[in-house]
Amino acid sequence: MSASNSHALSYVHDEEHDLRVPVTEIRLNDSPGGVPNPPLQVYRTAGPGSDPLVGLPPTRADWIAARGDVEHYPGRERDLLDDGRSAVRRGEASQEWKGPRPVPVRAKTGRTVTQMHYARAGIITQEMRFVALRENCDVELVRSEVAAGRAIIPANVNHPESEPMIIGNSFLVKINANIGNSAVTSSIVEEVDKMRWATRWGADTVMDLSTGEDIHTTREWIIRNSPVPIGTVPIYQALEKVAGQADALTWEIFRDTVIEQCEQGVDYMTIHAGVLLRYVPLTAERLTGIVSRGGSIMAGWCLAHHEENFLYTHFDELCEIFARYDVAFSLGDGLRPGSIADANDAAQYAELDTLAELTTRAWAHDVQVMVEGPGHIPIHRVRENVERQQKLCHGAPFYTLGPLVTDIAPGYDHITSAIGATEIARHGTAMLCYVTPKEHLGLPNRDDVKTGVITYKIAAHAADIAKGHPGAVERDDALSKARFEFRWRDQFALSLDPDTAEQFHDETLPAEPAKTAHFCSMCGPKFCSMRISQDIRTRFGDAADQAAVAGMQHMSDQFRAAGSTVYLNAPTVPALEDVAGHESIGAETGGVPT
Amino acid sequence: MSASNSHALSYVHDEEHDLRVPVTEIRLNDSPGGVPNPPLQVYRTAGPGSDPLVGLPPTRADWIAARGDVEHYPGRERDLLDDGRSAVRRGEASQEWKGPRPVPVRAKTGRTVTQMHYARAGIITQEMRFVALRENCDVELVRSEVAAGRAIIPANVNHPESEPMIIGNSFLVKINANIGNSAVTSSIVEEVDKMRWATRWGADTVMDLSTGEDIHTTREWIIRNSPVPIGTVPIYQALEKVAGQADALTWEIFRDTVIEQCEQGVDYMTIHAGVLLRYVPLTAERLTGIVSRGGSIMAGWCLAHHEENFLYTHFDELCEIFARYDVAFSLGDGLRPGSIADANDAAQYAELDTLAELTTRAWAHDVQVMVEGPGHIPIHRVRENVERQQKLCHGAPFYTLGPLVTDIAPGYDHITSAIGATEIARHGTAMLCYVTPKEHLGLPNRDDVKTGVITYKIAAHAADIAKGHPGAVERDDALSKARFEFRWRDQFALSLDPDTAEQFHDETLPAEPAKTAHFCSMCGPKFCSMRISQDIRTRFGDAADQAAVAGMQHMSDQFRAAGSTVYLNAPTVPALEDVAGHESIGAETGGVPT
């Protein structure tokens, strides 16, 4: 049986408010001596699971309706061009969504339906209660942080299937995974599978960055099946609608695309409104110019028309639209550095100044905002990025890509970026966009997506520990205890990737009994210090105790004299036992490559 | 042809002192327009290469002899038990080394032959000159740092095949890779191959942690073929000699094993002399007790005999031995934490106090010292480890294993530890011991060894950049320039792992022309902002220029007013072109997992 079989879907309940939050329960075996270990409940992003052809139940629909501030309406007329020119030629989209499709809703005229609006009005929503249960915190913290703009709950009223989650410096660090087809198209079912795969391993949000055919229909399938918020970069679809000619883009085409996506239920959208005409020349002397796709599209448009970025000039109209659906801004950093040589330069910081201005403007409409960040930054210059953003943007959540701390490791950029991601998250970044091993080189496959997600869960978790998030170390301690007690199956079950942990173990010691073997697979019985410790107990128990007690008394006096607060008990046997996985400089890795 | 074919063995010469230092030269293609790019010379750990059956030439033999302070002598009598009990049964070791075996040398009576001794006497050795060429620094910096104990040059006089390298906070951060057979034995040839494999990818030193059969002979093969310093943990072999009974260990058996290894040419040895009897009870309340193999062996011995650690009581005798061969101490941290819960605790810091005392004692004998460190530490508590060690140990080089910043990712601990390794290295750790994906789970295979080495090169390089090491960013800038100019082959060649970079690229765009294709493999031509930029130039060149100039003028005034030093040229086309590998939040990873 696989260690992941120790994982079960469970729920945390709030009977009073008729709420239940899915969690993953990890069942554990007893410690030696039959001492039971309680199951560990961990944050779950995979949701309850769904039939891809049917989608998830619209859990939030009742909550939204109960507030009485939205109206159902026919919605924008379907345009086959939404699915690309080949759909127009065919006269239909491929694989049209057949499952239940909620009738679009929007705020009644004059109403605002954003979580920020409610929070500022002092209203505690079901979404906020759901989040508080997930984060194991006071709901008032949720409300006040959302009201202040320091946290967002991306929750489009047209995505009632989603489970509310929160992005903010006061909460668990979140991670995003990207999916989406491209010029090289993949089937819609594959895209849905990728979304489910990413959330299974821990993606808190998913961005659909499709740029190929069937963009509209692919997004429909993804949203209807997604338990996590979905983000997009609408300029990509808008560009498809003008045959890829950046200069042919217009505000009207873009607005229409945004409304199309608002009605489908996109929860947050990347808007490159900070790429101003006058900033483009600041990239002239860069080593790597403009590396943001959306940034280069808008820079091209600005220069082509010699006009200011229409996303900037029409920003307030965008706010009015977002306010009617509760879509959150993800203010894109189109001028982010594409190499450590360009880090923290004039272009990057000029754009950040504008993103700060736009943050305030969006807040004036009660629209939720997060701000995107780099990119490529040497480790010693990472911290200033988040501190500067937090200061200029009045604490609006920061959402960064990495950053990569060196440019010399293509093929390993999930690692170069996880190093920077941990550093920037511990100092206040609220969400990290994952990077896969294929970054800079090609298209990630299923394994790459998993590797990217797990790597970023590590970075986010390391930051949660550094920030002292309540309960952050529970899983670490449970796993280390299992390791110390040679409960191999529990070690696997408690790890971020039980399948890989078990597989690696079995490569060395496949035999089933080894799962409970009381020596370390790396060193063999002779070199297992647990076994050595057991010998000590067997053959020298009394002497050991005497020695220990004597030594203890000595140290005890010494440490008390030194004012140490460490209290010294007589050593119990476990104190002398070793754990699986010795770490004398490299004992473990001194094995036999075969 | 593979991108790694762009790598060639070359040399940096010091004609005056008849020195040549192997470097790896990376040949580059011209930039667009035929502008040539000079080849980049990078630090090389692989040496000149050798026939495993013959070994490397004893380059340093003449240098050592020329100093006139060593004597040749018969050496310790060969004991078959050095190769384990089965060798004794067989009456011979398997695969006895047949290549040239240098006659052992040691310091003449009353002489000291350590690099520290020479440095303190103001003598500039060939080893120091070699190091200065490698590090591209002043040789006086090398001498003064070695004299002060802030850096070491591990260079046993019986390992004349090694290329001198330096470990210290003022120099490039180094990494160590572990090899060695174990209870599950591997062939000697496999071990030699692993050493060559590790140094090919960048291991600065290699530790042979063999614990199985043929330990002596395996080590002989490795040392005779190794261009990098070799480290060991002699207590492992000593324990083999007493059939694995820790309590049967004696100082005499250990001393004999140390001399055996000194004569073979081991350059540094891990000595767990800081595990004192009175410290053992301090581990009583730990979550994971003692996780160091050597630490648990010595703790077991201390308790079994109720005596002080014989490595501590005989430390000065060890110094006298090391001084005659120039073997460096790697003072083992046998009480390092094995989980983040045990980080920075009383046991760990008590042992560090003793390691500091031992450092001073070794220096009194002119013996070189580095100090080993943890282990498992939450990211926010990493820095205090290196700062405390540097202060207590008067700047003696710190040599750490990771540290891992979380315990929940077995199977990915090369990543959890690389995050901590970057943090501890940027604050002063001189050498990092790699961790492979198999850490805590099993024996690393060839791929794991490569992954561990590359991952740690990333951590070390990121720290070198943070520390502002001269020339550290040259490779980053060269690669980013190649990326910006779509010189795919140069991108591969400049990366730490050209083979993987090229393979990942080819998975998406295998066609040979794609290697020079001027669009990004991730997005297809339509979404390549370089292509968009080219369209801008073609169709709106004048407008673009006008817009750019206008915008430039505006920003120019604005930024001059703001006192900015950024000087703004009219944007050249490259300034508007995009580079391979867009990083709009995740554009690149929005591909098709297939």
Side-chain angles (χ1 to χ4, degrees):
Chain A
M1 101 165 203
S2 159
S4 36
N5 294 350
S6 311
H7 289 204
L9 168 63
S10 182
Y11 294 91
V12 173
H13 295 271
D14 176 348
E15 307 294 357
E16 180 189 351
H17 302 98
D18 189 28
L19 276 174
R20 65 172 200 173
V21 175
V23 294
T24 296
E25 185 167 276
I26 305 175
R27 291 186 295 264
L28 302 173
N29 297 312
D30 293 350
S31 292
V35 185
N37 291 293
L40 187 71
Q41 291 185 330
V42 298
Y43 194 103
R44 179 185 182 90
T45 55
S50 65
D51 172 350
L53 300 175
V54 178
L56 287 160
T59 313
R60 293 173 50 230
D62 294 345
W63 308 350
I64 294 162
R67 290 192 282 256
D69 50 9
V70 296
E71 63 186 10
H72 290 267
Y73 72 112
R76 167 182 173 280
E77 196 168 313
R78 173 66 190 278
D79 181 344
L80 273 177
L81 189 57
D82 300 344
D83 275 315
R85 285 174 301 291
S86 62
V88 175
R89 281 194 298 276
R90 281 196 310 270
E92 62 175 358
S94 58
Q95 296 176 271
E96 192 62 62
W97 170 254
K98 299 291 195 307
R101 183 198 295 262
V103 177
V105 297
R106 66 183 173 201
K108 292 174 179 169
T109 309
R111 306 294 295 272
T112 297
V113 297
T114 67
Q115 293 293 318
M116 183 179 217
H117 179 74
Y118 302 132
R120 286 175 162 183
I123 298 167
I124 301 285
T125 62
Q126 285 292 80
E127 287 84 351
M128 297 173 196
R129 292 196 180 92
F130 192 100
V131 162
L133 278 172
R134 282 188 117 168
E135 299 273 340
N136 190 24
C137 70
D138 187 323
V139 69
E140 176 53 24
L141 175 67
V142 174
R143 189 207 60 78
S144 59
E145 287 295 289
V146 171
R150 289 189 297 266
I152 67 171
I153 300 174
N156 185 326
V157 290
N158 288 314
H159 186 197
E161 302 89 347
S162 71
E163 295 173 353
M165 53 80 71
I166 192 162
I167 302 167
N169 185 16
S170 301
F171 306 93
L172 288 165
V173 174
K174 305 304 189 297
I175 69 169
N176 172 73
N178 301 305
I179 61 171
N181 66 1
S182 77
V184 191
T185 46
S186 60
S187 84
I188 288 172
V189 171
E190 275 173 349
E191 292 310 310
V192 173
D193 177 66
K194 280 150 54 182
M195 178 275 292
R196 290 151 60 92
W197 182 246
T199 54
R200 170 184 167 179
W201 295 110
D204 293 288
T205 75
V206 167
M207 290 192 80
D208 173 13
L209 302 173
S210 296
T211 61
E213 296 298 327
D214 298 317
I215 290 180
H216 178 95
T217 301
T218 301
R219 191 166 50 228
E220 190 70 32
W221 281 69
I222 291 170
I223 292 172
R224 300 285 75 86
N225 280 284
S226 177
V228 303
I230 297 298
T232 61
V233 185
I235 200 76
Y236 296 170
Q237 187 182 12
L239 190 65
E240 291 282 346
K241 293 180 179 178
V242 293
Q245 303 305 319
D247 54 292
L249 284 167
T250 65
W251 159 247
E252 291 69 24
I253 291 166
F254 184 82
R255 180 186 56 197
D256 181 64
T257 304
V258 164
I259 290 170
E260 169 192 350
Q261 299 191 9
C262 287
E263 293 179 350
Q264 278 188 295
V266 172
D267 300 286
Y268 65 87
M269 300 184 195
T270 294
I271 304 295
H272 295 94
V275 180
L276 302 190
L277 177 60
R278 64 181 185 272
Y279 296 161
V280 176
L282 293 175
T283 64
E285 295 186 327
R286 278 183 161 182
L287 182 61
T288 51
I290 299 174
V291 296
S292 153
R293 220 194 265 176
S296 60
I297 292 168
M298 294 317 300
W301 187 92
C302 292
L303 294 174
H305 295 270
H306 191 193
E307 288 177 20
E308 191 51 274
N309 182 335
F310 62 76
L311 298 172
Y312 180 81
T313 55
H314 291 273
F315 190 76
D316 289 309
E317 287 170 75
L318 269 179
C319 293
E320 288 161 12
I321 296 167
F322 282 13
R324 295 195 74 177
Y325 301 89
D326 198 6
V327 171
F329 277 103
S330 186
L331 295 174
D333 56 336
L335 301 182
R336 85 170 62 76
S339 58
I340 61 171
D342 294 339
N344 304 7
D345 72 352
Q348 180 192 334
Y349 282 157
E351 181 183 36
L352 181 57
D353 291 339
T354 297
L355 299 186
E357 171 210 328
L358 296 172
T359 297
T360 310
R361 280 168 62 182
W363 285 350
H365 295 266
D366 288 352
V367 172
Q368 307 188 95
V369 180
M370 59 182 169
V371 177
E372 295 181 6
H376 290 242
I377 310 280
I379 189 75
H380 62 297
R381 306 190 64 189
V382 167
R383 182 176 183 170
E384 78 177 74
N385 273 267
V386 59
E387 288 176 342
R388 187 183 184 112
Q389 180 275 340
Q390 287 289 289
K391 181 169 181 294
L392 292 174
C393 301
H394 311 290
F398 204 27
Y399 171 29
T400 61
L401 177 68
L404 288 68
V405 294
T406 175
D407 304 335
I408 67 172
Y412 300 79
D413 280 334
H414 57 305
I415 298 173
T416 63
S417 64
I419 292 167
T422 305
E423 170 74 357
I424 206 162
R426 67 183 272 215
H427 292 301
T429 290
M431 185 158 78
L432 304 168
C433 183
Y434 86 166
V435 171
T436 78
K438 291 285 169 61
E439 187 85 2
H440 299 109
L441 297 170
L443 303 174
N445 60 28
R446 193 176 158 92
D447 290 341
D448 296 320
V449 168
K450 177 180 173 181
T451 299
V453 169
I454 299 282
T455 301
Y456 270 68
K457 292 301 283 185
I458 290 168
H461 183 70
D464 288 335
I465 292 171
K467 291 164 68 175
H469 193 285
V473 298
E474 274 179 20
R475 191 172 185 169
D476 297 78
D477 294 350
L479 190 145
S480 293
K481 183 167 183 281
R483 180 173 286 155
F484 185 67
E485 295 173 356
F486 286 89
R487 286 184 279 119
W488 285 100
R489 287 206 167 287
D490 291 348
Q491 274 194 73
F492 306 149
L494 287 161
S495 67
L496 288 179
D497 181 359
D499 302 342
T500 297
E502 182 163 20
Q503 175 206 325
F504 283 2
H505 170 274
D506 290 358
E507 284 178 22
T508 302
L509 283 184
E512 191 58 23
K515 295 290 198 324
T516 52
H518 272 213
F519 59 81
C520 174
S521 61
M522 277 65 75
C523 318
K526 188 193 303 175
F527 268 93
C528 174
S529 54
M530 172 180 251
R531 181 177 167 288
I532 291 173
S533 307
Q534 288 169 334
D535 291 348
I536 293 166
R537 172 169 48 163
T538 311
R539 294 180 292 151
F540 306 100
D542 296 344
D545 290 346
Q546 291 161 22
V549 171
M552 176 193 73
Q553 194 52 52
H554 180 119
M555 280 307 288
S556 176
D557 301 337
Q558 191 177 82
F559 268 73
R560 288 222 187 75
S564 164
T565 60
V566 177
Y567 178 68
L568 304 166
N569 288 335
T572 59
V573 172
L576 306 181
E577 285 174 340
D578 199 1
V579 300
H582 309 277
E583 286 135 2
S584 61
I585 287 277
E588 262 165 299
T589 39
V592 188
T594 47
Chain B
M1 109 173 195
S2 159
S4 36
N5 294 348
S6 311
H7 288 203
L9 168 62
S10 182
Y11 293 91
V12 173
H13 296 271
D14 175 349
E15 306 295 356
E16 179 188 353
H17 301 99
D18 189 28
L19 275 175
R20 64 172 200 174
V21 175
V23 295
T24 296
E25 186 166 272
I26 305 175
R27 291 184 297 260
L28 302 174
N29 298 312
D30 293 350
S31 291
V35 185
N37 291 293
L40 187 71
Q41 291 185 331
V42 297
Y43 194 103
R44 180 185 181 90
T45 55
S50 65
D51 172 350
L53 300 175
V54 179
L56 287 160
T59 313
R60 294 173 48 231
D62 295 344
W63 308 350
I64 294 162
R67 291 192 281 256
D69 50 10
V70 296
E71 63 186 9
H72 290 268
Y73 72 110
R76 166 183 173 279
E77 195 168 311
R78 172 67 190 276
D79 180 344
L80 274 178
L81 189 57
D82 300 345
D83 276 316
R85 286 175 300 292
S86 63
V88 175
R89 281 194 299 276
R90 280 196 311 270
E92 63 174 357
S94 59
Q95 298 174 269
E96 191 63 61
W97 170 253
K98 300 290 193 310
R101 184 197 296 262
V103 177
V105 298
R106 65 184 172 200
K108 293 174 178 170
T109 308
R111 305 296 294 272
T112 296
V113 297
T114 67
Q115 293 293 317
M116 183 180 217
H117 179 74
Y118 302 132
R120 287 176 161 183
I123 298 166
I124 302 284
T125 62
Q126 286 291 81
E127 286 84 351
M128 296 173 198
R129 291 194 181 92
F130 191 99
V131 162
L133 278 173
R134 277 189 122 167
E135 300 273 339
N136 190 24
C137 70
D138 187 323
V139 68
E140 176 52 24
L141 175 67
V142 174
R143 188 206 61 77
S144 59
E145 287 294 290
V146 171
R150 289 190 297 265
I152 68 171
I153 299 175
N156 185 325
V157 290
N158 288 314
H159 186 196
E161 302 89 347
S162 71
E163 296 173 353
M165 53 80 72
I166 192 162
I167 302 168
N169 185 15
S170 301
F171 306 94
L172 288 165
V173 174
K174 304 305 188 296
I175 68 170
N176 170 73
N178 300 306
I179 61 172
N181 66 359
S182 77
V184 191
T185 47
S186 60
S187 83
I188 288 173
V189 171
E190 274 174 349
E191 293 310 310
V192 174
D193 177 64
K194 281 152 52 182
M195 178 276 292
R196 289 151 61 92
W197 182 244
T199 54
R200 169 184 168 180
W201 295 110
D204 293 287
T205 76
V206 167
M207 291 192 79
D208 174 11
L209 303 174
S210 295
T211 60
E213 296 298 326
D214 298 317
I215 290 180
H216 178 95
T217 301
T218 301
R219 192 165 50 228
E220 189 70 31
W221 281 70
I222 290 170
I223 292 172
R224 300 284 77 84
N225 280 284
S226 178
V228 303
I230 297 298
T232 61
V233 185
I235 199 75
Y236 297 170
Q237 186 181 12
L239 190 64
E240 291 283 344
K241 293 180 178 178
V242 293
Q245 303 305 319
D247 54 291
L249 285 167
T250 65
W251 158 247
E252 290 70 24
I253 291 167
F254 184 82
R255 179 186 56 196
D256 180 65
T257 304
V258 164
I259 290 171
E260 169 193 349
Q261 298 192 10
C262 287
E263 293 178 348
Q264 279 187 295
V266 172
D267 300 286
Y268 65 87
M269 301 184 194
T270 294
I271 304 294
H272 296 95
V275 180
L276 302 190
L277 176 60
R278 65 179 184 272
Y279 296 160
V280 176
L282 293 176
T283 63
E285 295 188 327
R286 278 182 159 183
L287 183 60
T288 51
I290 300 175
V291 297
S292 154
R293 221 193 266 175
S296 59
I297 292 168
M298 294 317 299
W301 188 92
C302 292
L303 293 177
H305 295 269
H306 192 191
E307 287 177 20
E308 192 50 276
N309 181 334
F310 62 76
L311 299 172
Y312 179 82
T313 55
H314 292 272
F315 190 76
D316 289 308
E317 288 171 72
L318 268 180
C319 294
E320 289 162 9
I321 295 167
F322 282 14
R324 296 195 73 177
Y325 301 90
D326 197 6
V327 171
F329 277 104
S330 186
L331 296 175
D333 57 335
L335 301 182
R336 87 168 62 72
S339 57
I340 61 172
D342 294 339
N344 304 6
D345 73 352
Q348 180 191 333
Y349 281 156
E351 180 182 34
L352 181 57
D353 292 339
T354 297
L355 299 185
E357 171 211 329
L358 295 172
T359 297
T360 311
R361 281 168 64 181
W363 285 351
H365 295 266
D366 288 351
V367 173
Q368 306 189 94
V369 180
M370 60 181 166
V371 178
E372 295 181 4
H376 291 242
I377 311 279
I379 188 75
H380 62 298
R381 306 191 64 189
V382 166
R383 183 176 182 170
E384 77 178 74
N385 273 266
V386 59
E387 289 177 342
R388 187 183 184 111
Q389 180 275 339
Q390 287 289 289
K391 181 170 179 295
L392 292 175
C393 301
H394 311 290
F398 204 27
Y399 171 29
T400 62
L401 177 68
L404 288 69
V405 295
T406 175
D407 303 335
I408 67 171
Y412 300 80
D413 280 335
H414 57 304
I415 298 174
T416 62
S417 64
I419 293 167
T422 305
E423 170 75 357
I424 206 161
R426 67 183 272 215
H427 292 301
T429 288
M431 185 157 78
L432 303 168
C433 183
Y434 86 166
V435 171
T436 78
K438 292 285 170 62
E439 186 85 0
H440 298 110
L441 297 171
L443 303 173
N445 60 28
R446 193 176 158 90
D447 290 341
D448 297 319
V449 168
K450 177 181 174 181
T451 299
V453 169
I454 299 282
T455 301
Y456 271 67
K457 292 300 282 186
I458 290 168
H461 183 69
D464 288 334
I465 292 171
K467 290 164 69 174
H469 193 285
V473 298
E474 272 179 21
R475 192 172 185 169
D476 297 78
D477 294 349
L479 190 145
S480 293
K481 183 166 183 280
R483 179 173 287 157
F484 185 67
E485 294 173 355
F486 287 88
R487 288 184 278 118
W488 285 99
R489 287 204 166 288
D490 291 348
Q491 274 192 74
F492 305 149
L494 287 161
S495 66
L496 289 178
D497 180 0
D499 302 341
T500 296
E502 182 164 21
Q503 175 207 325
F504 282 1
H505 171 273
D506 290 357
E507 284 179 23
T508 301
L509 281 184
E512 191 58 25
K515 296 288 197 324
T516 52
H518 273 215
F519 59 81
C520 173
S521 62
M522 277 64 76
C523 318
K526 187 192 306 176
F527 268 93
C528 174
S529 54
M530 170 178 254
R531 181 175 165 289
I532 290 173
S533 307
Q534 288 169 334
D535 291 348
I536 293 167
R537 171 169 50 162
T538 312
R539 295 180 290 147
F540 306 102
D542 298 343
D545 290 346
Q546 291 160 22
V549 172
M552 176 192 73
Q553 195 51 52
H554 181 119
M555 281 306 288
S556 175
D557 302 337
Q558 191 175 82
F559 268 73
R560 288 222 187 74
S564 165
T565 61
V566 177
Y567 178 67
L568 305 167
N569 289 333
T572 59
V573 172
L576 306 181
E577 285 174 343
D578 199 0
V579 299
H582 309 276
E583 285 137 3
S584 61
I585 287 276
E588 264 166 297
T589 38
V592 188
T594 47

